[in-house]
Amino acid sequence: MIGPEGDFSEKEIQLAISSNYHPVLLGNTRLRTETAALVACHTVALINE
């Protein structure tokens, strides 16, 4: 999941973790919606090479 502007609430984070989502952080930088998914996909591709 890509987080909404302002981030997920603590309750939403706990619900996602309890539903077997694994948190992945891309650093402290906040990305715009237009670039967040692109950076996430690129990062996953690099990890899987």
Side-chain angles (χ1 to χ4, degrees):
M1 291 188 290
I2 301 292
E5 186 173 335
D7 209 358
F8 292 108
S9 70
E10 192 60 38
K11 182 178 179 181
E12 291 169 323
I13 293 169
Q14 292 306 316
L15 179 60
I17 291 171
S18 69
S19 298
N20 296 320
Y21 281 84
H22 299 281
V24 175
L25 303 177
L26 301 175
N28 292 329
T29 304
R30 300 266 183 199
L31 301 173
R32 294 181 57 98
T33 302
E34 297 86 3
T35 55
L38 180 62
V39 171
C41 290
H42 183 262
T43 302
V44 170
L46 284 174
I47 290 170
N48 289 319
E49 283 188 359

